[in-house]
Amino acid sequence: MSDTLILAHRRDVFRFTARFLGYTLLAVLLAVWSGPIVLVLITSIKSNQDFLAGPFSIPSHPTFQPYIDVWNSLGFSGLLANSFLYATAGSALAVILALVPAFALSRMEVPGKTFIFGLILTGLMLPQQTVLIPLYDTLRTLHLLDTKIGLIIVHAAYGMPAQILILRGFMTSIPREIEKAAYVEGATDFRVFYKIILPLSLPGIVVGFTLNFIAIWKEFVFGLVLLNSEENFPVTVGMLKLNSDRYMAVFNLPAAGLVISQIPIIVLFILTYRKIASGNFAGAVKG
């Protein structure tokens, strides 16, 4: 009996130790992840004097003046409007262009579709730097260099392979009994796609659009190289002004600008989280 108690005690000690180490590791990872975010938020509501007196201290007199200053000095409303246009139009166009290829590669017997799918996915392996010169020459030839429509097309083309990957995987998971019943009723491929696959793929479309929106919103290289006019700059390129000599000794303005630039992404995630989390087909097929 005593041996049993000793073994039970050792198991309890082992479980407690493992749980303690797990929580400790989780706390460390949380601190490493959230520390920079908290520091940026604190810096953004400090005066520059407070920051120089103690970069990691709690602000003695919190102020939102850095937000007002950076909004007015950078013309932040225009930068946000440009980024919203690029992210929304580029993501929507990428999804539209990916819908039909994803349907064909997931639901139809296309000759060589495995090779075609692999060829499309090579677009995910190309770093932005490797396509800058061809893109620059192409846009210049088409007179789309330093234009909003040109950058939207670039974002859409660059994001389309990822959209095909997401939508193909999502459409593949749709039960085939649904479309078989439609074919029995005489439906065409287009009607099956438009009336059945497309509505059931809405959560996948939301996922793809959201991820692409975030990727375009934080994109920097294409905007820097393919745009020259300040009125066309997205927020990531426009914030380069905060690194100029004028702001060399100012730390709260870049922090405030960074916080403002992330608000649309947070709002988008909050609005789409429920749709993303509920993306299932429960009840689509009667048992």
Side-chain angles (χ1 to χ4, degrees):
M1 185 66 178
S2 58
D3 292 340
T4 303
L5 292 176
I6 292 174
L7 290 175
H9 177 70
R10 288 177 178 176
R11 283 197 298 269
D12 292 340
V13 171
F14 176 79
R15 291 172 181 171
F16 174 79
T17 303
R19 189 178 294 111
F20 175 78
L21 292 176
Y23 286 143
T24 301
L25 178 61
L26 182 62
V28 171
L29 293 176
L30 181 62
V32 171
W33 179 82
S34 62
I37 300 176
V38 174
L39 182 60
V40 169
L41 289 173
I42 292 176
T43 303
S44 69
I45 58 175
K46 282 184 176 181
S47 65
N48 203 49
Q49 291 74 17
D50 276 351
F51 179 85
L52 294 175
F56 301 101
S57 63
I58 301 297
S60 56
H61 301 287
T63 175
F64 288 97
Q65 191 61 39
Y67 290 90
I68 299 174
D69 292 341
V70 76
W71 184 276
N72 294 330
S73 62
L74 288 186
F76 232 89
S77 58
L79 297 177
L80 291 176
N82 288 342
S83 288
F84 185 79
L85 174 64
Y86 296 140
T88 303
S91 300
L93 185 57
V95 170
I96 292 172
L97 293 175
L99 281 171
V100 173
F103 172 71
L105 292 172
S106 62
R107 317 297 294 189
M108 304 175 68
E109 294 300 325
V110 179
K113 68 177 183 179
T114 302
F115 173 77
I116 296 173
F117 183 58
L119 188 63
I120 292 175
L121 292 186
T122 57
L124 297 174
M125 307 173 192
L126 295 176
Q128 291 176 318
Q129 293 80 359
T130 62
V131 298
L132 281 176
I133 295 178
L135 279 176
Y136 189 92
D137 290 339
T138 301
L139 292 181
R140 182 175 58 182
T141 302
L142 298 175
H143 303 288
L144 292 175
L145 195 63
D146 193 25
T147 63
K148 293 179 180 179
I149 185 63
L151 189 58
I152 289 172
I153 293 174
V154 169
H155 283 315
Y158 200 79
M160 188 177 66
Q163 300 304 310
I164 292 176
L165 176 64
I166 294 172
L167 292 173
R168 178 185 178 274
F170 204 90
M171 290 179 180
T172 302
S173 65
I174 299 176
R176 290 192 174 272
E177 288 79 2
I178 301 176
E179 63 182 280
K180 288 180 179 178
Y183 282 128
V184 170
E185 296 294 330
T188 61
D189 289 335
F190 176 78
R191 190 171 183 83
V192 169
F193 167 73
Y194 181 71
K195 292 292 187 178
I196 298 176
I197 302 300
L198 195 58
L200 290 178
S201 299
L202 183 59
I205 293 173
V206 172
V207 170
F209 179 89
T210 302
L211 295 179
N212 206 59
F213 185 99
I214 294 173
I216 295 176
W217 187 273
K218 66 180 184 179
E219 196 280 325
F220 173 75
V221 176
F222 286 152
L224 179 66
V225 175
L226 302 178
L227 298 176
N228 297 320
S229 304
E230 291 188 5
E231 60 267 21
N232 294 332
F233 283 171
V235 67
T236 50
V237 179
M239 284 183 62
L240 282 178
K241 288 184 180 179
L242 295 177
N243 295 326
S244 64
D245 294 338
R246 178 185 175 186
Y247 299 102
M248 207 60 175
V250 178
F251 301 93
N252 52 2
L253 295 186
L258 183 60
V259 172
I260 294 174
S261 67
Q262 299 308 305
I263 291 177
I265 296 179
I266 297 173
V267 173
L268 176 66
F269 179 79
I270 293 174
L271 293 177
T272 59
Y273 173 76
R274 189 176 299 276
K275 177 64 69 175
I276 294 173
S278 63
N280 59 72
F281 303 105
V285 182
K286 294 182 178 180

